[in-house]
Amino acid sequence: MRWMKAVGACALMVTVAACSTSPTGRSQMLLLDEQQLSQMGAQAFDQYQQELPTVSGRQLEYVQCVTRNVVQALPQDQRNQNWQVKVFESEDANAFALPGGYVGVNTGLLDVATNQDQLATVIGHEIAHVLAHHANERASTESATQLGMSVVGTALGSQGVTGSDQLMAAMGMGAQYGILLPFSRSHESEADTIGLQLMADAGFDPRASVQLWQNMSAAGGGQPPEWMSTHPAHGNRIAGLEAGMNDAMARYEQAQARGLTPSCKAP
C-alpha cells in the first residue's frame, strides 16, 4: 500500500539521521541535541523545586555523599559535570536524575532504601538513565512515532479509506502498548544493568540491589500487568539484577581492592 511505503520511507530517513549505541551496545535513535536536553533538565529541576519543599541537614548530606561516590565511577566527561543534588519533602519513594547533572531524591525513598548501598542502587539506576541518553531516545522515539502516524493519517484521508478514524485510533493503541511502553521497560532494565555496574565500581555492595527491590515490592503494593506498565515487574527486575551479579561482584571486589569504601552515614 502507498501509505505503508510512506511510513517506511519516513522511518528510514529518521533512522539514518540519528544512529547511536547505548553503553550496553544496544542500537539507539537520538534526534535531540544534548545541550538542548541539558537546558530542559535544568528547567525541569527548577520546576520540581518550585513544586516541592527541599530538605537540608543530615538527609541532604547523606544523599550528596552517596551521589558523589557514584558519580566518581562515571566516564570523565560525565564525572566532571557540576552535579547538583536536592532532597525533596515527599512521601513518594522516588528519585530522578536529569540531563545536565541534576539528582533529586524524595524523603520517602529514604524510608525504603535503608542503607547507603540500597540508596546507591537507586541513584546509580537514575544516573544510568542519563549516561545512556534515555531521555533523548524516549523523546526521539515518540517524535518518530507521531510523525509516522501523521503520515499514515494524511495518506488514509487523501485516499478516502473507509473507517480511517477507527484505524488511526487502533494504531494509536498499538503504538502505545507495542512501541512506547515496552521501549520504556527496556530503558528501565538497561538502567538496572548499568546502575548495578556503577554502584559496584564506586565500592557499594551490589547485593543490596536485590534487597532494595524486595523492599520496594513490599512497600509498593500491587502493580499493573507488566505489558501495561512502563516498568518491569519487581520479580523480573530482581531476576535481571541477579543475572548480572557475578560481574557486579567482581567489579565491587576490584573497587574495594583500590580502596573505594564509601562511608555515607544515614540520618
Side-chain angles (χ1 to χ4, degrees), residues 11-213:
L12 179 60
M13 287 189 294
V14 169
T15 303
V16 170
C19 250
S20 187
T21 304
S22 77
T24 63
R26 181 177 55 81
S27 295
Q28 294 178 294
M29 177 176 63
L30 305 179
L31 301 177
L32 301 184
D33 178 73
E34 286 300 318
Q35 184 175 357
Q36 180 184 7
L37 279 172
S38 294
Q39 293 173 351
M40 293 167 64
Q43 293 171 358
F45 199 58
D46 287 343
Q47 182 178 351
Y48 210 80
Q49 292 178 77
Q50 293 172 16
E51 293 176 355
L52 287 175
T54 56
V55 176
S56 58
R58 292 180 59 195
Q59 287 180 315
L60 177 60
E61 293 171 0
Y62 173 53
V63 174
Q64 287 176 328
C65 177
V66 173
T67 303
R68 184 167 57 249
N69 281 275
V70 172
V71 165
Q72 288 304 306
L74 293 172
Q76 186 172 357
D77 61 331
Q78 294 280 347
R79 186 169 65 242
N80 290 341
Q81 286 190 91
N82 181 27
W83 285 84
Q84 297 185 40
V85 181
K86 296 287 184 181
V87 176
F88 297 94
E89 186 66 50
S90 172
E91 294 181 356
D92 292 335
N94 200 12
F96 62 86
L98 298 171
Y102 305 94
V103 172
V105 172
N106 290 351
T107 52
L109 178 64
L110 302 181
D111 296 328
V112 179
T114 58
N115 57 46
Q116 65 168 7
D117 301 299
Q118 292 182 20
L119 181 58
T121 300
V122 181
I123 292 176
H125 169 93
E126 297 302 333
I127 289 178
H129 280 304
V130 176
L131 184 62
H133 306 290
H134 286 164
N136 192 335
E137 189 177 8
R138 176 73 172 178
S140 299
T141 300
E142 291 183 353
S143 296
T145 301
Q146 291 171 2
L147 177 60
M149 291 181 62
S150 176
V151 171
V152 172
T154 300
L156 289 174
S158 66
Q159 294 179 39
V161 176
T162 303
S164 59
D165 290 343
Q166 292 87 340
L167 180 56
M168 286 300 296
M171 284 184 59
M173 184 67 71
Q176 176 74 0
Y177 293 120
I179 301 174
L180 301 183
L181 291 183
F183 210 75
S184 185
R185 288 198 298 270
S186 76
H187 285 176
E188 292 297 322
S189 296
E190 186 171 56
D192 282 346
T193 297
I194 299 170
L196 189 68
Q197 295 171 351
L198 286 177
M199 69 177 292
D201 288 342
F204 292 103
D205 190 341
R207 291 169 292 192
S209 62
V210 174
Q211 183 60 57
L212 179 279
W213 283 109

